[in-house]
């Protein structure tokens, strides 16, 4: 049995954090919702809102049941496994190629039953259907949410029609355009202004227009064609553009400017700097005449765009024939499988990109059609709700035991926190529970040597997802040792240590000096979910990303959140524009600032060399 200390630690978490401090904060006004007061809704939207107003989860009978259940729960993974030899099997689910073991979570069959009742009670099945149907469930932006349509196979029935748009036809038309362009670049048919083929693609974008392709490019490195390198330029820090272009050959570089809105200051600034770099470098080599025609020709051969805003692309000077479109019903953080994935399609090729999309579709179908109690994204989303709302967890670790997935936690941070970091519900009323836990992580085993101490023996409850594949991209044998097996031994060991801990008796039995016995006790009952797949193929990566998209959706539905807007990022953007003149010496604008901001800007101005 786990030590008494372990149980006490978990009980402490139950008592001290349950109930969602954010709720109180919102209700007492101590946390100001970033989106401001509820916006008036237009007539048609209002109608939709009335018929689909969020159901307060705390009013669903299962909520009270879960609360009582949490109060009575004595987490005891050692005992639960001992009593029920079928636990691992019962709590292991498969979805596509994903094998997910949920058995090391702090749950019993009662927990699962109550959680699925909660999901039924808030109408999760109807919300899932509404999303796939293309209902305008992104109410604050009055948009459908149809990233699932991006991976619908050609000709899938029933046809999907939004307003006047034949969604399937448009999606596949753009895919063909992307695949054709990717082939041209890969085979060297696409040539730069001096006639050379492309060797380096630089994706310029930020947020959803960067994190998805950047993460997938490193995850799928073994599938990248020889002779093509992709770099990602996102930060407006000039160090990023300087370092990204430092050793580049302008003759063989292709820039993809990816921006859904084509209005993002970081991306447009970087794109302008990259354009200037191209012109300067070509001129310095005597390969560019100093007239607008020559410059435009260079841009046409070295810049393409991905956007929903064709007019702004044209204004920037990129030929709209070299623009790959998508639609307002694709959110930025849900767009890696749209034309935003163009750099990836070039790198891994159309066939692999199609497999990537098929992976998403497999999980879409699982999510859409599987009963709640065996539905992997639903159950993982509900587990997150269980930990946040009933056991007081405030963060969630994602720990890939795959170096290829080293950018996966960063990708998930935008997906999860930009989606569910909200304190208003989709009808503009305050949320009634804590929402949006912090997602973070690093690849194992690096994390083991950094922050696992806190997960094993700290006072916080941190549910963790461990992710690994059976067959490595780079098998390596060191003498008798298969190094990937050694690596994964750590995965299995860590999830075991977190679940079952080490009692004082076990520590003593090793002959440990009594004075340090307490320090060597591991409380256990630290929840983990283990996700495995055969190999990190494009299809498996698509499945993995899609799994987390739908986990995020599930949580949002339980909390009544519009997981597809992101008003909370706007204020900072506006203020940066307003403040910028002060930073550059405008005394009047400086005088308008608060004392702290004024003094910081002064410090900057005094110290800037
Ligand atoms: O500021 C946040 C955000 O709007 C994200 O949601 C989005 O992914 C990112 O900026 C980039 O936006 P865009 O693709 O329009 O440049």
């Amino acid at each position: 049995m786990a030590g008494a200390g372990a149980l006490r630690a978990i009980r402490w978490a139950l008592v001290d954090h349950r109930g969602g401090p954010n709720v109180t904060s919102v209700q007492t006004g101590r946390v100001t919702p970033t989106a401001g007061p509820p916006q008036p809704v237009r007539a048609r939207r209002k109608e939709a809102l009335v018929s689909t107003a969020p159901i307060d989860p705390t009013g669903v009978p299962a909520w009270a049941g879960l609360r009582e259940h949490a109060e009575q729960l004595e987490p005891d993974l050692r005992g639960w496994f001992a009593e029920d030899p079928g636990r691992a099997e019962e709590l292991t689910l498969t979805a596509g190629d994903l094998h997910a073991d949920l058995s090391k979570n702090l749950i019993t069959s009662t927990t699962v039953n109550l959680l699925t009742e909660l999901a039924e009670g808030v109408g999760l099945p109807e919300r899932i259907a509404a999303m796939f149907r293309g209902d305008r469930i992104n109410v604050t932006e009055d948009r459908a949410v149809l990233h699932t349509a991006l991976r619908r196979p050609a000709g899938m029935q029933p046809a999907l029609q939004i307003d006047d748009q034949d969604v399937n036809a448009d999606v596949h038309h753009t895919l063909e355009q992307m695949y054709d362009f990717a082939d041209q670049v890969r085979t060297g048919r696409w040539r730069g202004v001096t006639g050379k083929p492309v060797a380096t693609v630089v994706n310029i974008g930020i947020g959803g227009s960067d994190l998805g392709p950047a993460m997938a490019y490193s995850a799928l490195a073994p599938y990248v064609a020889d002779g093509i390198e992709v770099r990602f330029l996102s930060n407006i820090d000039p160090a990023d553009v300087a370092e990204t272009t430092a050793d580049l050959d302008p003759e063989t570089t292709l820039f993809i400017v990816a921006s859904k809105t084509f209005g993002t200051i970081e991306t447009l600034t970087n794109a302008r700097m990259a354009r200037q770099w191209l012109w300067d470098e070509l001129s310095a080599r005597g390969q560019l005449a100093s007239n607008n025609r020559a410059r435009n020709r260079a841009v046409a051969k070295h810049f393409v765009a991905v956007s929903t805003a064709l007019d702004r692309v044209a204004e920037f000077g990129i030929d709209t024939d070299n623009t790959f479109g998508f639609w307002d019903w694709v959110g930025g953080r849900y767009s890696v499988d749209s034309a935003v994935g163009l750099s990836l399609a070039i790198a891994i090729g159309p066939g692999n990109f199609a497999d990537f999309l098929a992976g998403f579709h497999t999980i879409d179908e699982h999510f859409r059609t599987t009963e709640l109690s065996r539905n992997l994204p639903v159950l993982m989303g509900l587990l997150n709700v269980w930990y946040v709302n009933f056991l007081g967890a405030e963060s969630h670790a994602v720990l890939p035991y795959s170096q290829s997935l080293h950018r996966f936690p960063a990708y998930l941070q935008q997906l999860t926190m930009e989606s569910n970091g909200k304190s208003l519900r989709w009808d503009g009323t305050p949320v009634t529970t804590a929402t949006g836990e912090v997602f973070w992580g690093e690849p194992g085993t690096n994390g083991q040597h950094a922050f696992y101490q806190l997960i094993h023996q700290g006072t916080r409850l941190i549910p963790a997802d461990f992710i690994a594949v059976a067959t490595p991209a780079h098998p390596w044998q060191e003498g008798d040792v298969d190094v990937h097996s050694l690596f994964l031994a750590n995965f299995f060991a860590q999830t075991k240590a977190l679940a079952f801990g080490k009692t004082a008796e076990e520590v003593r039995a090793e002959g440990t000096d009594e004075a340090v016995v307490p320090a060597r006790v591991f409380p256990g009952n630290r929840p983990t979910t283990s996700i495995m797949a055969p190999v990190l193929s494009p299809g498996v990566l698509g499945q993995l990303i899609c799994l987390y998209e739908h986990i995020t959706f599930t949580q949002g539905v339980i909390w009544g959140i519009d997981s597809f807007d992101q008003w909370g990022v706007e204020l900072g953007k506006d203020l940066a524009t307003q403040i910028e003149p002060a930073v550059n010496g405008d005394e009047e604008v400086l005088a308008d600032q608060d004392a702290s901001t004024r003094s910081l800007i002064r410090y900057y101005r005094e110290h800037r060399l």
Side-chain angles (χ1 to χ4, degrees):
M1 296 293 286
L7 295 182
R8 258 202 312 279
I10 299 297
R11 298 296 305 169
W12 175 86
L14 292 175
V15 171
D16 280 15
H17 298 289
R18 200 181 308 121
N22 291 354
V23 183
T24 320
S25 319
V26 170
Q27 284 165 350
T28 59
R30 270 185 281 128
V31 171
T32 316
T34 46
Q39 299 294 311
V41 285
R42 286 185 287 155
R44 194 168 52 75
R45 232 186 303 156
K46 201 169 190 176
E47 221 171 78
L49 278 176
V50 170
S51 55
T52 61
I55 297 170
D56 181 353
T58 66
V60 173
W63 189 272
L66 282 161
R67 193 167 273 250
E68 199 185 326
H69 173 55
E71 264 155 27
Q72 288 164 1
L73 190 77
E74 295 282 347
D76 182 13
L77 285 169
R78 283 196 185 205
W80 294 342
F81 272 90
E83 279 158 23
D84 179 5
R87 180 178 170 92
E89 202 182 325
E90 278 156 30
L91 288 170
T92 295
L93 273 68
T94 50
D97 295 312
L98 305 179
H99 169 100
D101 180 352
L102 312 184
S103 67
K104 292 195 184 85
N105 281 285
L106 303 183
I107 53 173
T108 64
S109 54
T110 307
T111 329
V112 175
N113 292 341
L114 285 166
L115 285 169
T116 48
E117 276 171 46
L118 176 65
E120 292 279 4
V122 300
L124 177 63
E126 292 78 24
R127 295 298 293 178
I128 295 173
M131 175 169 73
F132 278 89
R133 228 178 11 235
D135 287 9
R136 291 177 178 258
I137 61 170
N138 176 357
V139 287
T140 70
E141 295 179 328
D142 194 16
R143 288 175 182 166
V145 173
L146 269 178
H147 45 278
T148 54
L150 296 169
R151 48 264 190 159
R152 267 181 133 227
M156 184 174 169
Q157 293 302 322
L160 190 53
Q161 189 88 19
I162 298 294
D163 302 328
D164 290 335
Q165 186 184 12
D166 179 341
V167 171
N168 233 26
D170 283 1
V171 164
H172 283 274
H173 174 75
T174 302
L175 277 174
E176 274 164 32
Q177 199 197 351
M178 283 169 66
Y179 292 166
D180 176 55
F181 183 72
D183 272 338
Q184 288 189 50
V185 173
R186 288 163 64 84
T187 56
R189 278 183 290 130
W190 182 273
R191 298 203 170 236
V193 70
T194 61
K196 289 194 178 167
V198 173
T200 310
V201 174
V202 179
N203 185 83
I204 305 177
I206 197 164
S209 299
D210 164 70
L211 287 163
M215 178 275 289
Y217 175 70
S218 45
L220 298 177
Y223 296 83
V224 172
D226 287 343
I228 297 272
E229 185 202 359
V230 182
R231 298 183 185 186
F232 294 87
L233 172 56
S234 54
N235 205 328
I236 198 173
D237 182 339
D240 205 1
V241 69
E243 283 167 17
T244 305
T245 55
D247 56 349
L248 278 188
D249 178 353
E251 293 180 71
T252 58
T253 299
L254 173 74
F255 292 98
I256 298 176
V257 186
S259 174
K260 178 176 168 180
T261 55
F262 228 77
T264 303
I265 192 163
E266 290 87 346
T267 300
L268 294 189
T269 305
N270 276 328
R272 281 194 305 272
M273 288 195 288
R275 188 176 56 182
Q276 193 61 50
W277 171 86
L278 178 80
W279 288 337
D280 291 349
E281 292 291 314
L282 289 174
S283 299
R285 295 174 180 207
Q287 288 163 334
L288 187 72
S290 58
N291 61 61
N292 280 345
R293 221 169 133 254
R295 288 176 158 213
N296 291 344
R297 231 176 83 71
V299 170
K301 289 292 169 190
H302 292 267
F303 276 79
V304 299
V306 173
S307 187
T308 58
L310 298 191
D311 47 340
R312 289 179 172 178
V313 173
E315 223 172 90
F316 181 88
I318 296 178
D319 191 340
T320 42
D321 282 351
N322 298 335
T323 302
F324 302 82
F326 60 115
W327 307 273
D328 70 359
W329 39 258
V330 182
R333 54 195 174 274
Y334 298 87
S335 67
V336 61
D337 48 348
S338 72
V340 167
L342 181 63
S343 55
L344 182 67
I346 294 171
I348 65 174
N352 285 320
F353 195 82
D355 289 348
F356 179 60
L357 298 185
F360 280 87
H361 183 65
T362 300
I363 301 300
D364 284 339
E365 286 302 279
H366 170 91
F367 183 56
R368 194 174 66 82
T369 61
T370 309
E371 58 171 306
L372 298 185
S373 64
R374 301 305 290 171
N375 190 313
L376 185 59
V378 166
L379 281 189
M380 287 183 69
L382 290 173
L383 282 180
N384 292 353
V385 167
W386 168 239
Y387 290 123
V388 168
N389 297 123
F390 298 94
L391 301 193
E394 290 179 346
S395 81
H396 191 109
V398 180
L399 308 168
Y401 276 65
S402 164
Q403 187 58 25
S404 305
L405 287 172
H406 73 109
R407 295 286 288 152
F408 195 58
Y411 168 78
L412 283 187
Q413 286 185 332
Q414 187 199 16
L415 175 65
T416 57
M417 298 199 275
E418 206 172 67
S419 294
N420 287 338
K422 319 254 166 90
S423 47
L424 292 182
R425 297 188 295 169
W426 70 66
D427 63 350
T429 59
V431 294
T432 58
T433 68
T435 63
E437 70 273 45
V438 175
F439 280 78
W440 58 284
E442 275 288 313
T445 55
N446 297 13
Q448 288 175 209
H449 294 274
F451 52 78
Y452 276 34
Q453 165 67 39
L454 185 147
I455 306 183
H456 279 287
Q457 288 187 317
T459 57
R460 293 168 197 283
L461 179 71
I462 303 179
D465 297 347
F466 281 65
I467 304 169
V469 294
T471 302
H474 301 285
W476 200 290
Q477 195 74 22
E478 198 210 20
D480 288 345
V481 178
D482 173 345
V483 179
H484 187 254
S485 300
L486 174 62
F487 180 38
L488 284 214
N490 280 275
F491 172 113
F492 304 126
Q494 290 294 330
T495 52
K496 183 170 176 161
L498 287 163
F500 306 119
K502 191 172 184 183
T503 64
E505 294 71 45
E506 287 166 344
V507 177
R508 279 191 199 100
E510 291 171 343
T512 308
D513 185 340
E514 193 57 35
V516 291
V517 166
R520 298 200 174 188
V521 167
F522 286 75
N525 291 319
R526 310 274 151 152
T528 61
T529 294
S530 298
I531 302 167
M532 299 195 72
V535 65
L536 192 57
S537 61
V540 164
L541 183 66
Q543 293 177 34
L544 199 56
I545 298 172
C546 188
L547 170 66
Y548 281 90
E549 286 180 350
H550 296 325
I551 290 171
T552 304
F553 179 71
T554 298
Q555 289 181 251
V557 171
I558 302 290
W559 292 325
I561 283 175
D562 177 348
S563 299
F564 304 100
D565 62 9
Q566 57 283 318
W567 296 107
V569 299
E570 295 304 322
L571 178 60
K573 288 187 197 171
D574 291 348
L575 289 182
T577 311
Q578 284 172 33
I579 287 172
E580 198 252 356
V583 182
N584 279 317
D586 186 322
E587 292 301 326
E588 232 174 90
V589 179
L590 183 67
D592 279 349
Q593 306 305 318
D594 62 274
S596 165
T597 308
R598 211 166 39 234
S599 122
L600 289 168
I601 294 172
R602 280 217 180 95
Y603 178 91
Y604 170 75
R605 278 168 40 176
E606 281 162 25
H607 289 81
R608 171 65 202 267
L609 294 177

